[in-house]
Amino acid sequence: MKKYVAIGIIFFFLIVLLTGCARRGRPDGGPKDEDAPIMMLAKPVNLTTNFKEKEIKIYFDEYIKLKDLQKQLIISPPLKYAPVIKPLGTPSKYISIKILDTLKENTTYTFNFGQSVIDNTEGNILNNFKYVFSTGDIIDSLKVSGTIKDAFSNEVDKDITVMLYEVNDSFTDSIIYNEKPLYVGSTLDSTAWEITNIKSGKYLLLALKDASKNYKFNPKEDKIGFYKEYITIPTDSSYTISIFREELPFQLKRPSEAAKGHLLFGYEGVGDSLKVQPFSVSEKFESFTNFEKNKDTLNFWYKNAEKDSIQFYAINNQYRDTLTVKLRTKILDSLQIKSSVRGVLPLRDAFKLSGNIPIESIDTAKIDFIDKDSSAVAHSFSISKDKDEIVLDFVKKYDQKYSLVFFPEAITDFFGNVNDTLTYRFTTKRPTDYGNVYLTLQKVKSYPLIVQLITERGKLVEEVYAEHQQEYVFKNLVPDKYLIRVIYDNNKNRKWDTGNFLLRKQPEEVIYFNTVLEVRANWEMTETFMLE
C-alpha cells in the first residue's frame, strides 16, 4: 500500500513540474514588428540604364500591400497610358509593374510610391520608396524643391501637383492645357515638394490642384500657381508657389425658373455688370433684379407677364446676347422672413431681417418696438438697395432687453404678399462683455491696403481700407479668436484680385499676422504687425 502511495506522490510532482515548465515556455507573440519592408531585389535592378523592358518586378523581405496607390504614386515623366500595377488589395512579396506606354528616348523615369507601400501585418510604411531607370546611358540626378501656399487663404490644399515643362523651341504657353509635363512631384499631405532625377535645362515651374488627375490645367476646376520667371536647373534656390483660382471668361448659363415670377440667370466669370432687359412685354409688366449673395447668379423678379415666354437682351461689358425663357411654373413662393440675431445683439452689429422675395414696403404703424420696461424705443427702418434686407436703426442701450413685433401686413413684398405676426426678442450686453484690438502696421511697401479682421473660420468681421499710415481700431469684439489679413490693393479697386497664367499676372499679395488674437471680455490688445 505504501508503495502505491509513494508512486502516486511521485507522479503528482512530475505533473506539477511538467506543467510549470510548459507555462514558463509558453510563447507571448514576441515584440511588435515596427520595421518597414525592405526591398531585396528588383528586376531589372533599380537605377538601370538603357532600359527596354515591359515589366518590372520589385521583391521585398515580407508580405506588403499597396495603400491609396492612385493618390500616392507619382510617375515622372507622366505616362500616356497608366501602367498595370499589382498587388491591389491582396498581400504579396513583390510589386509587378507592366508598362503599356512607349517610353521616351534618353529619359530618366521615376516611380515614387510615396507612402503607399506598407507591410501586411502592422502597416509599417516604406516612406517615399522610388524605383528609377533611364532609357539612355545615364541617370539624371538633379533636383528642385520648394513649398506651396494659397494666394488668399491661410489654409493650403493638400495633394498639390508640381510640374516642370521644358522650355525649348516647341514650347508655347498653351502646353499646360494640352500636354503633360516632363517632370512632376507632389506635396501629398504637406506643403513641401521635391522633384528629383531631372536633367539640366530651362523650365516652366507650375503647380496645380489637379481635380481630374490628368496633369493638364482646366481653369473651370483646377487651382493654379506658377513661378513668374523660367527657372534654370541645376539650382540651389528653393521656390515658393502661390496657388489660386483664375477668373473664368464671362459666360451666361441657361436661365432657370425658381418659382412663378422668379428666374435665375447663372453665369461664370465676372458678372458684376450683368443686366438682363426684357423686350416685347406689355405696359403692365414689372420687374426687379438683384444678385444672389455668395453665388454667381442674377435674380430676375417679374409680374404681370401676359405671354408664356419672355425675351431678353443680356449685357455684361462687351458681352451681348439675346435669349428666350419659357414660363412653366404656376406657383408663387410665399414670403419668408429671417432674423440675423439669435438672443443677443452684439453692440457692433445691426438688427437685420432678410427676405426670400424683394421687400417692397414697410408699414411702421404696424410695428411695435419696446424695451424691458415696456417703453417705446425710438427707431427707424430702411430697405437695402437690393431689397433683400430690412435694417433696424436705433440707439442701443447696454444690458437691455427688447421686443420687436411686426403685426400682420407690416411687410409687403414685390408680389403683394404680406407677413403674419412676427415677434423677435433680443438683448444687449455691457461694453465690459467685449474686447478691443488696436493694431499698427510697420514696413508697409505701398498703399492702399485692405486690412481685414476675420474669425479663425474665415468669416469677415470688419474691413478697413487704408490709403496712408494709421492706427486700426476694432472695438466691441465678441470674445473669440481672430486673425488679421492684409491685402496690397495694387490696382486700387478695393478688392482682392486673383492671378492669370496667360497674362503672367500673379495674385495681389496677401499677408496674415502670424499671431492668433485671443480677444477676452473687458480686455484691450495692442499689436504691431510687421509686413515682411
Side-chain angles (χ1 to χ4, degrees):
M1 182 68 179
K2 291 181 179 179
K3 179 180 178 182
Y4 290 115
V5 172
I7 292 172
I9 292 172
I10 293 171
F11 183 70
F12 172 77
F13 278 108
L14 283 172
I15 291 174
V16 171
L17 180 63
L18 290 172
T19 303
C21 291
R23 286 176 178 169
R24 283 193 295 271
R26 184 178 180 179
D28 60 4
K32 181 180 179 180
D33 178 14
E34 296 181 351
D35 296 328
I38 298 173
M39 186 187 78
M40 303 298 292
L41 175 68
K43 295 181 180 180
V45 297
N46 195 18
L47 303 178
T48 288
T49 55
N50 298 305
F51 182 93
K52 294 181 174 62
E53 305 298 324
K54 288 296 183 182
E55 184 175 9
I56 303 163
K57 284 194 174 182
I58 305 169
Y59 295 86
F60 296 89
D61 65 334
E62 59 181 314
Y63 282 96
I64 59 97
K65 292 188 295 187
L66 296 177
K67 182 180 179 182
D68 296 331
L69 184 67
Q70 297 297 322
K71 175 183 176 182
Q72 295 285 332
L73 178 64
I74 300 293
I75 302 174
S76 181
L79 300 174
K80 183 177 181 180
Y81 304 108
V84 177
I85 300 179
K86 296 179 180 179
L88 289 178
T90 57
S92 174
K93 275 202 168 185
Y94 67 88
I95 296 173
S96 169
I97 305 172
K98 291 185 178 180
I99 298 173
L100 308 179
D101 214 344
T102 300
L103 302 178
K104 298 178 182 179
E105 295 181 356
N106 300 314
T107 301
T108 298
Y109 283 85
T110 302
F111 286 68
N112 188 335
F113 286 81
Q115 296 182 320
S116 65
V117 180
I118 63 174
D119 71 27
N120 182 50
T121 53
E122 301 294 343
N124 297 315
I125 299 171
L126 179 56
N127 281 307
N128 294 316
F129 173 66
K130 294 180 183 179
Y131 179 84
V132 181
F133 64 83
S134 173
T135 56
D137 295 331
I138 61 171
I139 298 287
D140 294 319
S141 58
L142 300 176
K143 64 181 181 179
V144 63
S145 61
T147 57
I148 295 292
K149 70 175 186 177
D150 192 282
F152 185 76
S153 173
N154 203 26
E155 300 290 331
V156 183
D157 290 310
K158 295 180 180 179
D159 194 19
I160 301 298
T161 302
V162 185
M163 310 175 176
L164 289 176
Y165 288 88
E166 187 175 19
V167 180
N168 52 29
D169 293 340
S170 62
F171 175 86
T172 63
D173 284 345
S174 63
I175 195 172
I176 71 168
Y177 304 93
N178 304 313
E179 296 183 27
K180 293 182 178 181
L182 184 58
Y183 299 106
V184 296
S186 176
T187 61
L188 295 179
D189 293 329
S190 71
T191 59
W193 58 269
E194 181 181 65
I195 304 176
T196 61
N197 300 103
I198 309 168
K199 67 180 180 180
S200 61
K202 183 188 289 187
Y203 296 92
L204 166 68
L205 175 58
L206 193 80
L208 290 183
K209 178 59 179 174
D210 188 9
S212 297
K213 302 294 183 184
N214 62 357
Y215 302 103
K216 297 176 185 178
F217 177 44
N218 181 350
K220 288 189 176 183
E221 59 182 17
D222 297 338
K223 285 185 177 180
I224 188 173
F226 60 93
Y227 198 73
K228 193 167 186 179
E229 291 83 26
Y230 298 133
I231 68 169
T232 301
I233 293 177
T235 178
D236 293 327
S237 299
S238 178
Y239 298 92
T240 298
I241 307 174
S242 298
I243 62 169
F244 55 90
R245 195 173 296 280
E246 286 190 350
E247 281 184 349
L248 298 172
F250 178 81
Q251 181 177 350
L252 188 63
K253 297 180 180 179
R254 184 177 179 179
S256 61
E257 273 189 292
K260 182 180 179 181
H262 184 194
L263 301 178
L264 303 176
F265 289 83
Y267 58 88
E268 292 178 348
V270 180
D272 296 351
S273 301
L274 175 61
K275 295 180 181 179
V276 289
Q277 300 173 349
F279 64 92
S280 298
V281 293
S282 69
E283 293 183 358
K284 295 180 180 180
F285 186 88
E286 295 181 48
S287 65
F288 178 77
T289 59
N290 60 17
F291 286 94
E292 190 81 13
K293 283 184 170 60
N294 303 317
K295 290 184 180 180
D296 293 335
T297 301
L298 179 70
N299 293 303
F300 182 86
W301 309 88
Y302 69 91
K303 57 186 176 182
N304 303 326
E306 296 180 350
K307 300 179 181 179
D308 62 357
S309 64
I310 305 175
Q311 293 177 291
F312 290 94
Y313 293 121
I315 303 170
N316 184 55
N317 297 321
Q318 305 304 315
Y319 177 89
R320 299 287 188 276
D321 198 5
T322 303
L323 56 155
T324 301
V325 181
K326 292 283 187 181
L327 307 179
R328 296 182 174 88
T329 305
K330 305 298 183 184
I331 301 175
L332 279 173
D333 274 341
S334 57
L335 177 61
Q336 298 176 14
I337 301 294
K338 294 182 179 179
S339 169
S340 63
V341 176
R342 293 184 179 180
V344 177
L345 175 62
L347 292 181
R348 63 183 292 112
D349 293 347
F351 182 93
K352 297 179 181 180
L353 297 176
S354 59
N356 63 321
I357 299 172
I359 305 299
E360 199 66 29
S361 64
I362 303 171
D363 187 348
T364 56
K366 297 176 180 177
I367 299 173
D368 189 22
F369 187 30
I370 59 174
D371 62 18
K372 63 183 177 182
D373 298 322
S374 298
S375 300
V377 179
H379 65 280
S380 63
F381 287 100
S382 60
I383 300 174
S384 65
K385 181 180 177 181
D386 286 336
K387 297 187 177 183
D388 57 353
E389 284 185 338
I390 299 171
V391 182
L392 170 64
D393 184 27
F394 72 105
V395 178
K396 301 185 189 74
K397 293 184 178 180
Y398 306 142
D399 203 18
Q400 182 61 269
K401 294 180 180 179
Y402 295 98
S403 174
L404 177 62
V405 180
F406 291 79
F407 294 105
E409 301 183 3
I411 302 171
T412 304
D413 72 15
F414 175 76
F415 298 114
N417 298 322
V418 293
N419 64 289
D420 293 326
T421 300
L422 301 171
T423 302
Y424 304 99
R425 293 183 175 86
F426 56 92
T427 62
T428 56
K429 293 185 176 182
R430 295 164 295 178
T432 52
D433 292 317
Y434 300 93
N436 302 323
V437 172
Y438 299 86
L439 177 70
T440 302
L441 303 181
Q442 293 187 3
K443 296 192 175 181
V444 177
K445 291 187 294 186
S446 63
Y447 287 94
L449 296 175
I450 303 171
V451 181
Q452 296 178 329
L453 180 76
I454 61 175
T455 66
E456 275 196 312
R457 296 167 294 281
K459 181 181 178 182
L460 179 64
V461 177
E462 187 173 344
E463 177 178 287
V464 179
Y465 193 77
E467 298 179 289
H468 50 76
Q469 186 175 358
Q470 65 181 75
E471 184 182 41
Y472 304 88
V473 180
F474 304 102
K475 303 193 75 173
N476 294 323
L477 297 173
V478 175
D480 201 349
K481 294 181 179 180
Y482 297 89
L483 301 175
I484 297 292
R485 179 168 61 206
V486 175
I487 302 168
Y488 280 103
D489 186 25
N490 298 328
N491 62 358
K492 302 181 181 180
N493 66 348
R494 295 178 176 265
K495 67 177 184 178
W496 177 76
D497 289 288
T498 188
N500 184 282
F501 171 74
L502 290 178
L503 299 177
R504 287 298 195 274
K505 174 189 170 187
Q506 293 287 351
E508 288 182 324
E509 186 177 4
V510 176
I511 305 175
Y512 282 83
F513 189 27
N514 59 11
T515 300
V516 177
L517 305 180
E518 295 192 37
V519 175
R520 304 174 187 175
N522 198 26
W523 195 265
E524 292 188 345
M525 301 180 67
T526 302
E527 298 287 343
T528 300
F529 186 0
M530 308 290 286
L531 297 182
E532 295 180 314

